[in-house]
Amino acid sequence: MADLLSTGVSGLLASQVGLSTVGHNISNVNTAGYTRQTTSFNARAPQYYGGMYIGQGADAVSVQRSYSQFLTQTMWSATSSQSRATQYAAYTAATNNAVSGSANLQTALDGFFGAVNDVANAPVDTASRQALLGKANTLVSTFRSLSSQFQQIDQQTNQQVTSAVGDINSLAQSIADLNGQIQKAYAGGAAPNDLLDSRDQAITQLSAIVGVSVTENSDHMVTVSIGNGQPLVGATNAVKLTTATNQYDSSRLEVVGPGGSVISNQLGSGSLGAAFDFRTTVLDPARNQLGRAAIAMQSAFNAQHAQGVDLNGDQGGNFFSIADPAVFNSVANTGNATMAAKITDVGKLSASDYVVRYDGANWSVTTADGTTVPSTGNGSVANPLTVDGLQITVPSGTPQKGDSFQIQPTRNAASTISVAISDTNKIAASGPLVATRSPSNTGKGVLGALTVTNAADPNLKTPVVIQFTSPTTYTVNGGAAQTYTDPGTIAGNGWTLKLSGAPAANDTFNVNPASSASGDNGNALALANVANLGVLDKGVTTIGKSYSQLIAQVGTAGAQANTAMSAQQSILDQATAAQQSLSGVNMDEEASNLLRFQQAYAASAQVINAANTVFDSLLSAVRG
């Protein structure tokens, strides 16, 4: 009967372990990263008695996690991708809000060119001129405001990088510490389930920040790499990442691994990878495109303004001013050379940044992503390096092999544009020349457009008399006879004049310098037409279209980001559901198990009670 008692006790103890496991599952139903545990039972070795084997009860032999490494790693991958997509979408939404918000550049452009038209309608009206300067300052403020918002978003990515690196280091150390604890716990002969869960949860949190690759070793410790294979955790050792400023641009933070190597472009997915991807593929192109629009505005408007005459009788000066392209030297440079850049052809200007490198004999130019760009010249002041409308020189110092510079032709242009004049009299609304028809003319010749073709011609303002010697011939200042065909164009010193109709013999037309306060609006009309002028992309793209391209560029990136976020969320939900179907705590199932083990426990107690009753009966019989 002692065997029956032992059998009952074994059932009691086994059921108690089962009850404890179920209770542990129920208690951790809301614990993040917890894996459901199950108790495994084995029958004890039977005893041979009376020609048969009699069972001796059961033992609880292990408490195991309901765990699949495949499903867990699938969830880590999905977590990285979903976190990246979510963060990327948030950044693109902020950028989209900036370009389509209250500081809308198209509205400011429309207001500015509307004010130019008002000046054309009343060239000497002080109020119209003052309104134009006001709209010009509004336009400049809008450019600057958008640029400032982009800079703020850039700083937010820096904050994200700093925060993410700190979290990575903390989680890496936690995983390394858990590696050591798990290895020691396994020495006791059983799997430390809760420690394993803690390690997996730490890896899950890490995967949300950066893509991870995890390998479990024979000693039960894991090796963790991030991104494109950068080692992070090995056994009980954790690599410490740091941040450092970009080698060219000190306003930019990069992630630095062991030995000082920059690994920003190796991080892949996760929220940290999204920050760098967004910066490269959305933010920088948007800032460059905005700056390109500002440069186009400044260049085209100034060029036309210079062809006019202001109310003081002077040739028009710069209406807008803007800084030269930003040039940054690498902190790794060993030479003392300096580099300068200026824009010489806006029509060829791209939205790219460039890196200029010296190989010890020659300079080479690539875009920021490493694409080689054709260039001419050697970089000297006498023979500048020319690329995409830029002129690059090394005005002083001597470069050494391996030295490099980064050029940002348009990045900061929108933040530096300003109105160069404040005096309304200096608005050059009048054309430099005025064409008149002699009142004594008897023919039907009609004046057309007078266009300045070369404002730098030294004889531009020389008075000219055009006299027709017949309906088909004319002279200029008494020179040789020239042929006229109706309609026709007469060319002068840096100008052209269109005529139509049939002049009569002795008819005259005059081209003279415009006088100050003449009321002429020739240049104001030309300035208003700058809005429709192809300035960028070799004369194809207007200023307004350039901004429209920026809106489309950011909007498309935002739409794609939202689509990717929805898709990745669906993938994560599926991966989580698959993992939780195996590893998650199901309260209905646990309630059923609780009842089952309670009944088994009570039944085992009855076995013990029966054994006790039988034993007492035997004792009574012996005493009798």
Side-chain angles (χ1 to χ4, degrees):
M1 290 302 99
D3 289 340
L4 181 60
L5 179 62
S6 176
T7 298
V9 170
S10 74
L12 195 72
L13 293 176
S15 297
Q16 188 176 42
V17 174
L19 282 169
S20 296
T21 302
V22 171
H24 188 54
N25 287 340
I26 294 172
S27 298
N28 286 281
V29 65
N30 295 315
T31 301
Y34 179 77
T35 301
R36 180 171 64 91
Q37 297 178 10
T38 58
T39 305
S40 297
F41 303 96
N42 275 348
R44 288 181 175 179
Q47 181 180 8
Y48 186 78
Y49 181 78
M52 66 188 72
Y53 288 98
I54 301 176
Q56 304 214 45
D59 289 318
V61 294
S62 67
V63 178
Q64 299 175 325
R65 294 194 299 165
S66 299
Y67 181 78
S68 166
Q69 182 69 23
F70 171 75
L71 293 178
T72 301
Q73 289 192 335
T74 299
M75 190 179 70
W76 288 339
S77 177
T79 298
S80 289
S81 297
Q82 188 273 343
S83 180
R84 178 199 180 280
T86 300
Q87 187 68 61
Y88 195 87
Y91 279 134
T92 55
T95 309
N96 207 9
N97 289 339
V99 298
S100 60
S102 58
N104 188 293
L105 184 60
Q106 188 59 57
T107 301
L109 285 168
D110 292 343
F112 173 73
F113 283 110
V116 176
N117 276 312
D118 291 341
V119 171
N121 292 330
V124 296
D125 180 57
T126 302
S128 297
R129 287 169 170 260
Q130 191 62 55
L132 173 58
L133 291 183
K135 291 296 185 180
N137 281 292
T138 298
L139 176 60
V140 163
S141 296
T142 304
F143 270 116
R144 287 175 173 264
S145 175
L146 284 170
S147 179
S148 176
Q149 291 180 67
F150 286 157
Q151 289 173 354
Q152 290 174 11
I153 295 172
D154 196 13
Q155 289 305 308
Q156 289 172 12
T157 64
N158 279 342
Q159 294 169 5
Q160 166 72 12
V161 169
T162 301
S163 175
V165 168
D167 290 342
I168 288 173
N169 287 336
S170 176
L171 289 168
Q173 188 59 57
S174 176
I175 294 168
D177 292 342
L178 286 166
N179 266 346
Q181 295 173 38
I182 289 169
Q183 184 188 40
K184 291 178 181 178
Y186 263 107
N193 296 327
D194 295 318
L195 287 176
L196 292 170
D197 283 347
S198 295
R199 186 174 68 186
D200 283 352
Q201 179 61 14
I203 295 173
T204 299
Q205 293 173 338
L206 180 64
S207 70
I209 304 172
V210 65
V212 298
S213 176
V214 181
T215 303
E216 185 170 357
N217 306 318
S218 58
D219 56 5
H220 305 293
M221 293 192 284
V222 294
T223 298
V224 180
S225 299
I226 59 175
N228 295 342
Q230 168 65 42
L232 185 68
V233 178
T236 57
N237 299 314
V239 171
K240 187 176 181 63
L241 304 181
T242 59
T243 60
T245 56
N246 180 272
Q247 66 166 320
Y248 300 110
D249 187 350
S250 61
S251 70
R252 285 282 174 88
L253 287 182
E254 305 287 354
V255 178
V256 178
S261 58
V262 175
I263 60 172
S264 301
N265 60 349
Q266 303 174 25
L267 297 175
S269 56
S271 61
L272 183 55
F276 288 108
D277 288 346
F278 161 77
R279 200 166 73 178
T280 301
T281 60
V282 177
L283 182 59
D284 287 352
R287 292 179 69 183
N288 290 352
Q289 185 71 2
L290 177 66
R292 204 165 76 118
I295 291 170
M297 183 72 214
Q298 178 258 357
S299 175
F301 203 83
N302 280 2
Q304 186 59 56
H305 193 256
Q307 295 191 30
V309 175
D310 64 21
L311 290 181
N312 299 322
D314 298 325
Q315 186 172 346
N318 285 340
F319 191 93
F320 294 106
S321 64
I322 208 164
D324 284 335
V327 180
F328 303 98
N329 63 293
S330 170
V331 295
N333 286 358
T334 56
N336 62 355
T338 62
M339 182 168 283
K342 65 179 181 179
I343 298 169
T344 55
D345 189 342
V346 175
K348 295 180 180 178
L349 188 64
S350 75
S352 297
D353 296 330
Y354 302 92
V355 176
V356 185
R357 292 184 174 86
Y358 188 65
D359 64 6
N362 300 296
W363 294 97
S364 62
V365 184
T366 65
T367 57
D369 62 4
T371 302
T372 300
V373 181
S375 61
T376 59
N378 59 17
S380 67
V381 175
N383 186 17
L385 198 64
T386 303
V387 55
D388 290 348
L390 286 177
Q391 193 176 84
I392 305 167
T393 58
V394 181
S396 65
T398 303
Q400 296 297 317
K401 182 178 181 179
D403 284 0
S404 63
F405 298 80
Q406 186 184 63
I407 299 175
Q408 296 176 356
T410 64
R411 178 80 56 84
N412 299 312
S415 66
T416 64
I417 189 171
S418 62
V419 181
I421 62 175
S422 58
D423 184 354
T424 57
N425 286 342
K426 291 187 177 182
I427 298 175
S430 173
L433 304 172
V434 60
T436 58
R437 180 179 185 270
S438 174
S440 62
N441 287 1
T442 59
K444 296 181 179 180
V446 178
L447 287 171
L450 174 60
T451 304
V452 175
T453 57
N454 181 11
D457 192 308
N459 297 317
L460 177 69
K461 294 186 178 182
T462 300
V464 170
V465 176
I466 304 168
Q467 185 169 23
F468 277 80
T469 56
S470 75
T472 58
T473 59
Y474 67 90
T475 63
V476 176
N477 284 347
Q482 301 182 51
T483 302
Y484 169 75
T485 301
D486 179 29
T489 300
I490 298 174
N493 301 317
W495 53 263
T496 59
L497 175 64
K498 290 187 177 180
L499 286 177
S500 60
N506 297 318
D507 281 359
T508 59
F509 299 87
N510 298 284
V511 177
N512 294 305
S515 60
S516 62
S518 66
D520 178 68
N521 66 352
N523 202 50
L525 291 172
L527 287 170
N529 190 54
V530 169
N532 305 313
L533 192 64
V535 182
L536 298 166
D537 303 320
K538 298 181 180 179
V540 173
T541 305
T542 64
I543 300 164
K545 185 177 179 181
S546 175
Y547 180 63
S548 297
Q549 290 174 344
L550 168 60
I551 294 176
Q553 175 181 312
V554 174
T556 300
Q560 292 174 342
N562 288 333
T563 300
M565 180 175 65
S566 298
Q568 291 301 330
Q569 184 62 55
S570 178
I571 292 172
L572 176 60
D573 289 344
Q574 293 175 16
T576 302
Q579 192 266 349
Q580 285 296 298
S581 68
L582 173 67
S583 302
V585 176
N586 184 309
M587 292 300 288
D588 292 336
E589 183 180 355
E590 297 306 325
S592 174
N593 288 336
L594 183 64
L595 181 61
R596 178 164 61 91
F597 286 125
Q598 283 177 325
Q599 291 174 342
Y601 188 92
S604 294
Q606 290 298 320
V607 172
I608 294 173
N609 185 52
N612 185 56
T613 300
V614 171
F615 187 66
D616 286 346
S617 298
L618 288 173
L619 288 178
S620 297
V622 171
R623 292 192 190 102

